[in-house]
Amino acid sequence: DMPELNAVATELDVHPQTLRRRLAAEGTTFKDIKNQVRRDTALHFLGKQGLSIEEISHRAGFSESSAFIRAFKAWTGVTPYTYRKGL
């Protein structure tokens, strides 16, 4: 499971608003970082044989594979199936 902002702020021992402000100062948001981690996770596991798209979507933090497929297409311009075929 992907941690939420409040959980990360607690682990870092800062207030959630402080974390938001510091991320903004770096030119990013928690959502952006979360999406980057999801994308990188998906790309990593798409290179592994034997994992279904459903399993990859779950490992990337999506509850439904259809949401994962839409997000992946927005990130890369192709579906996970098409990306995998090109590897």
Side-chain angles (χ1 to χ4, degrees):
D1 290 332
M2 296 289 235
E4 295 300 322
L5 179 100
N6 289 342
V8 173
T10 299
E11 284 293 315
L12 296 173
D13 198 27
V14 297
H15 191 274
Q17 189 57 37
T18 301
L19 179 56
R20 280 189 202 96
R21 207 171 31 255
R22 288 180 182 172
L23 289 172
E26 294 291 328
T28 192
T29 65
F30 186 78
K31 184 178 179 179
D32 290 341
I33 293 170
K34 194 172 178 177
N35 282 333
Q36 290 169 3
V37 169
R38 284 178 161 180
R39 184 195 65 228
D40 292 349
T41 300
L43 291 172
H44 171 77
F45 284 116
L46 280 168
K48 305 263 184 208
Q49 295 300 321
L51 291 176
S52 69
I53 298 300
E54 291 76 19
E55 177 65 22
I56 293 168
S57 72
H58 176 72
R59 289 182 182 205
F62 289 87
S63 59
E64 296 186 19
S65 58
S66 59
F68 165 67
I69 293 167
R70 281 191 305 277
F72 191 87
K73 190 167 183 180
W75 297 328
T76 65
V78 296
T79 66
Y81 304 102
T82 304
Y83 180 86
R84 184 178 255 178
K85 276 197 247 180
L87 291 179

